[in-house]
Amino acid sequence: MKIRPLGDRVVIKMMEAEEKTKSGIVLPGSAKESPQMAEVIEVGPGGMVEGKEVKMEIKTGDKVIFSKYAGTEVKLDGQEYTILKQSDILAVVE
Amino acid sequence: MKIRPLGDRVVIKMMEAEEKTKSGIVLPGSAKESPQMAEVIEVGPGGMVEGKEVKMEIKTGDKVIFSKYAGTEVKLDGQEYTILKQSDILAVVE
Amino acid sequence: MKIRPLGDRVVIKMMEAEEKTKSGIVLPGSAKESPQMAEVIEVGPGGMVEGKEVKMEIKTGDKVIFSKYAGTEVKLDGQEYTILKQSDILAVVE
Amino acid sequence: MKIRPLGDRVVIKMMEAEEKTKSGIVLPGSAKESPQMAEVIEVGPGGMVEGKEVKMEIKTGDKVIFSKYAGTEVKLDGQEYTILKQSDILAVVE
Amino acid sequence: MKIRPLGDRVVIKMMEAEEKTKSGIVLPGSAKESPQMAEVIEVGPGGMVEGKEVKMEIKTGDKVIFSKYAGTEVKLDGQEYTILKQSDILAVVE
Amino acid sequence: MKIRPLGDRVVIKMMEAEEKTKSGIVLPGSAKESPQMAEVIEVGPGGMVEGKEVKMEIKTGDKVIFSKYAGTEVKLDGQEYTILKQSDILAVVE
Amino acid sequence: MKIRPLGDRVVIKMMEAEEKTKSGIVLPGSAKESPQMAEVIEVGPGGMVEGKEVKMEIKTGDKVIFSKYAGTEVKLDGQEYTILKQSDILAVVE
């Protein structure tokens, strides 16, 4: 089963503290201090969105920082995801 | 009798917990935890909507995830439907 | 006497419960549960509305579902009407 | 003395209950139940208004229904007028 | 000394009750009942304002009716003026 | 050291009461009654700002009247400045 | 590890009081009086952002003044950064 986001939306999955550390980020305190990092699971096709051409800059597997409270949380197969617009993604961590 | 939505609107029907499970989604707790999944019943023609060209990406029969609180609920022939704009549909579940 | 709506507006008249039933809609409870259905009485010419081209998709006699609280109620010749914009009409019931 | 409205504005004068009745409208209760009908006194030239081309559809002498609370009331020569935008006029009564 | 308004702004000066009467307006009660009439002192050049072309329709010396609470009051040489946008001027009194 | 404002922003410095008087403005009461006059210190380049072409009409040294509460106050070298958009400047005093 | 901001966003790092003084700014009181100065760490590519072409005027290493409360704070490798849109940067200090 697969979530296919529409328009300029992307599906992301919150990263666990240990995953974040593995990717090189030092989290001296609690993981709760940095809850805005996630991995991109699915990317919408972009195109005309509310009358404006949107090109997707994000790709599956990107580690991203996103706006707190942005998007809608959904639960599929016991796993929680967030669906948000690409414009709510602030940056990619490389 | 048939509901024909206008412009970029679609008519959806909430899916029952058992239906969702049949389509492969595991719902370990209560169906109330995932109330945003629905089936598309009718799709508007799209076209110029508030001065912007909208192309319909959704088709009848799609299983969709939509924004909580989006749309208007209507009751016809004892059945409840929700009419919302395509832009309130976040993703298609395949 | 006739109400001629301007721009993208339409004049509608709420349907009585019996009328609704005649058109095939089963209303098991009270008519108050479904107050959003109405018949279209007059349709504006459309055209440029607030700088956007609007084409009227609705025609006189259509049975429509509209957004709760949309429009302005007026009383003429002892009859109540609602004047609203076509974009507040969600769907046509056929 | 004359009020010349700017842009897409029109000057209207509330109609008295007796005037309304003369034009064929039955007002079984109080005139206060239908305070939104008025006669158009002056019409602005239209043209570019906030970057959008507006064509005036209303003419002096029209009987119109307008949005409650729309416009600004002014008093000239002991007479009260309301100045509002054409888009706040819902319909013409013919 | 001179105030030169920018863009689509105009400088106006409130008219005294006696001035208003001289120009033919009957004010049976208090001048406070009609505080929205003013004389235009300076007119901005118009042109591109927030991405929209604005043509000035108002000229120095015009008697105008303006939106209550619109604009900013300034005091120069002991005289109070209001600076507002042309779009806050409702009508010219001729 | 120099503040270089971006886009359609300008840097202004509040004028002291004595400076204002020298430039010919009579301030019979307190300077606090007229806190909106300032001198322009730096002017941004203008150009495309939020998708709209902005041409700077203000130049360094202009005495300007600006919207109360507009802009952001900053302190550099012990001196207070305000950075605001040109559209928050109402008029130039000449 | 590197933060790559999307669209018209930039990553900035707050400047310490001593750093600000070194760059020539006199801070007679507390650094807390001037918390809006920061150094630019990374700059997004600009381009089409919400349907508008944005050209980046800011470059890495610029000392900038930004709108209070603008942007989102993130913590990476024990260091705090703020990610904001270029339009929330008011000026460059040179």
Side-chain angles (χ1 to χ4, degrees):
Chain A
M1 202 180 76
K2 195 175 147 180
I3 307 177
R4 180 165 59 82
L6 292 181
D8 59 343
R9 288 193 183 88
V10 299
V11 181
I12 60 176
K13 195 179 74 167
M14 294 304 292
M15 291 170 68
E16 304 297 327
E18 50 268 51
E19 288 183 71
K20 289 187 200 173
T21 311
K22 253 184 285 176
S23 72
I25 306 160
V26 180
L27 289 169
S30 145
K32 277 168 191 139
E33 281 177 327
S34 173
Q36 297 148 267
M37 193 164 306
E39 186 178 344
V40 176
I41 303 299
E42 298 284 348
V43 177
M48 287 305 286
V49 177
E50 290 168 42
K52 291 168 189 162
E53 181 70 31
V54 178
K55 189 170 154 282
M56 302 309 282
E57 320 269 348
I58 293 289
K59 59 181 193 303
T60 302
D62 278 352
K63 309 279 179 284
V64 296
I65 298 171
F66 62 100
S67 297
K68 257 180 289 199
Y69 313 121
T72 301
E73 292 183 15
V74 296
K75 200 174 189 172
L76 286 184
D77 297 335
Q79 180 75 49
E80 291 201 351
Y81 300 95
T82 297
I83 305 177
L84 38 59
K85 290 177 156 276
Q86 178 177 261
S87 57
D88 287 322
I89 295 182
L90 305 175
V92 174
V93 180
E94 294 181 332
Chain B
M1 203 180 73
K2 195 176 148 180
I3 307 177
R4 179 166 60 82
L6 292 182
D8 59 343
R9 289 194 182 86
V10 300
V11 181
I12 60 177
K13 195 179 73 167
M14 295 304 292
M15 291 171 68
E16 304 297 328
E18 50 269 50
E19 287 183 70
K20 288 186 201 175
T21 311
K22 253 185 286 175
S23 71
I25 306 162
V26 180
L27 291 169
S30 146
K32 276 168 192 140
E33 281 177 327
S34 174
Q36 298 147 266
M37 193 165 306
E39 187 179 344
V40 176
I41 302 300
E42 298 284 347
V43 177
M48 287 305 286
V49 177
E50 291 168 42
K52 291 168 189 161
E53 181 70 32
V54 178
K55 188 170 154 282
M56 301 309 283
E57 320 270 348
I58 294 289
K59 58 182 195 301
T60 302
D62 278 351
K63 309 279 179 283
V64 296
I65 298 171
F66 62 100
S67 297
K68 257 180 288 198
Y69 312 121
T72 301
E73 292 183 13
V74 296
K75 200 174 188 171
L76 286 184
D77 296 335
Q79 179 75 49
E80 291 201 352
Y81 300 96
T82 298
I83 306 177
L84 38 59
K85 290 177 156 274
Q86 179 177 259
S87 58
D88 287 322
I89 295 182
L90 305 175
V92 174
V93 180
E94 295 181 332
Chain C
M1 203 181 70
K2 196 176 148 181
I3 307 178
R4 180 166 59 82
L6 292 182
D8 60 344
R9 290 195 181 85
V10 299
V11 181
I12 60 176
K13 196 179 72 166
M14 294 304 293
M15 290 171 68
E16 304 296 328
E18 50 268 51
E19 288 183 69
K20 288 186 201 176
T21 311
K22 253 184 286 176
S23 71
I25 307 161
V26 180
L27 290 169
S30 146
K32 276 168 191 140
E33 280 177 328
S34 174
Q36 298 147 265
M37 192 164 307
E39 186 178 345
V40 176
I41 303 300
E42 298 284 347
V43 178
M48 288 304 287
V49 177
E50 290 168 42
K52 291 167 187 161
E53 181 70 32
V54 178
K55 188 170 154 283
M56 301 309 283
E57 320 270 348
I58 294 290
K59 58 181 195 301
T60 301
D62 279 351
K63 309 279 179 283
V64 296
I65 299 171
F66 62 100
S67 298
K68 256 180 289 198
Y69 313 121
T72 301
E73 291 182 13
V74 296
K75 200 174 189 172
L76 285 184
D77 296 336
Q79 180 74 51
E80 290 201 353
Y81 300 96
T82 297
I83 305 177
L84 38 59
K85 289 177 156 275
Q86 178 177 260
S87 57
D88 286 322
I89 295 181
L90 305 175
V92 174
V93 179
E94 294 181 331
Chain D
M1 203 180 72
K2 195 176 148 181
I3 307 178
R4 180 166 58 81
L6 292 182
D8 60 343
R9 290 194 181 87
V10 299
V11 181
I12 59 177
K13 196 179 72 167
M14 294 303 293
M15 290 171 67
E16 305 296 328
E18 50 268 51
E19 288 183 69
K20 289 187 200 175
T21 310
K22 253 184 286 175
S23 71
I25 307 160
V26 179
L27 290 170
S30 145
K32 276 168 192 142
E33 279 176 330
S34 174
Q36 298 148 265
M37 192 165 308
E39 186 178 346
V40 176
I41 303 299
E42 298 284 346
V43 177
M48 288 304 287
V49 177
E50 291 169 40
K52 291 166 188 162
E53 182 70 33
V54 178
K55 190 169 153 283
M56 302 309 284
E57 321 269 350
I58 293 290
K59 58 181 194 301
T60 301
D62 278 352
K63 309 279 180 281
V64 296
I65 298 171
F66 62 101
S67 298
K68 254 180 290 197
Y69 313 121
T72 301
E73 291 183 13
V74 296
K75 200 175 190 172
L76 285 185
D77 297 335
Q79 181 74 50
E80 290 202 353
Y81 300 95
T82 298
I83 305 177
L84 37 58
K85 290 177 157 276
Q86 178 176 260
S87 57
D88 287 321
I89 295 182
L90 305 175
V92 174
V93 179
E94 294 182 331
Chain E
M1 204 180 72
K2 195 175 147 181
I3 307 177
R4 180 165 59 82
L6 292 182
D8 60 343
R9 290 193 181 87
V10 299
V11 181
I12 59 176
K13 196 179 72 167
M14 295 303 292
M15 291 171 69
E16 305 296 328
E18 50 268 52
E19 289 183 69
K20 289 186 200 174
T21 311
K22 252 183 286 174
S23 71
I25 307 160
V26 179
L27 290 170
S30 144
K32 276 170 191 138
E33 279 176 329
S34 174
Q36 298 149 263
M37 192 164 307
E39 186 179 346
V40 176
I41 303 299
E42 298 284 347
V43 178
M48 289 304 286
V49 176
E50 291 168 40
K52 291 166 188 161
E53 182 70 32
V54 178
K55 190 169 154 281
M56 302 309 285
E57 321 269 349
I58 294 289
K59 59 181 194 301
T60 302
D62 278 353
K63 309 281 179 280
V64 295
I65 298 171
F66 62 101
S67 297
K68 255 180 290 197
Y69 313 120
T72 301
E73 292 183 13
V74 295
K75 200 176 190 172
L76 285 184
D77 298 334
Q79 179 74 50
E80 290 201 352
Y81 300 95
T82 297
I83 306 177
L84 37 58
K85 290 177 157 277
Q86 178 176 259
S87 57
D88 288 321
I89 295 182
L90 305 174
V92 174
V93 180
E94 295 181 331
Chain F
M1 202 181 74
K2 196 175 147 181
I3 307 176
R4 181 165 59 81
L6 293 181
D8 59 343
R9 289 194 182 87
V10 299
V11 182
I12 60 176
K13 196 179 72 167
M14 295 304 292
M15 291 170 69
E16 304 296 327
E18 48 268 52
E19 289 183 68
K20 289 187 200 173
T21 311
K22 254 184 285 177
S23 72
I25 307 160
V26 180
L27 290 169
S30 144
K32 278 170 191 139
E33 279 176 329
S34 174
Q36 298 149 264
M37 192 164 308
E39 186 178 345
V40 176
I41 303 299
E42 299 284 347
V43 178
M48 289 304 286
V49 176
E50 291 168 41
K52 291 166 188 162
E53 181 72 32
V54 178
K55 189 170 155 280
M56 302 309 284
E57 320 269 349
I58 293 289
K59 59 182 193 303
T60 302
D62 278 353
K63 309 281 179 281
V64 296
I65 298 171
F66 62 101
S67 296
K68 257 180 287 198
Y69 314 119
T72 301
E73 292 183 15
V74 296
K75 199 175 189 171
L76 285 184
D77 297 335
Q79 180 74 50
E80 290 201 352
Y81 300 96
T82 297
I83 305 177
L84 36 59
K85 290 177 156 276
Q86 179 176 261
S87 57
D88 287 322
I89 295 182
L90 305 175
V92 174
V93 179
E94 296 180 330
Chain G
M1 202 179 75
K2 195 175 147 179
I3 307 176
R4 180 165 59 82
L6 292 181
D8 59 343
R9 288 193 183 87
V10 299
V11 181
I12 59 176
K13 196 179 73 167
M14 294 304 292
M15 291 170 70
E16 304 297 326
E18 49 268 52
E19 290 183 70
K20 288 188 200 172
T21 311
K22 254 184 286 177
S23 72
I25 307 160
V26 180
L27 290 169
S30 145
K32 276 167 192 140
E33 281 177 328
S34 174
Q36 297 148 266
M37 193 164 306
E39 186 177 346
V40 176
I41 303 299
E42 298 284 347
V43 178
M48 289 304 287
V49 176
E50 290 168 42
K52 292 167 189 162
E53 181 71 31
V54 178
K55 190 170 154 280
M56 302 309 283
E57 320 269 349
I58 293 289
K59 59 181 193 303
T60 302
D62 277 353
K63 310 280 179 283
V64 296
I65 298 171
F66 62 100
S67 297
K68 257 180 289 200
Y69 314 119
T72 301
E73 292 183 13
V74 296
K75 200 175 188 172
L76 285 184
D77 297 336
Q79 180 74 50
E80 290 201 351
Y81 300 96
T82 298
I83 305 177
L84 37 59
K85 291 177 155 277
Q86 178 176 262
S87 58
D88 286 322
I89 295 182
L90 305 175
V92 174
V93 180
E94 295 181 331

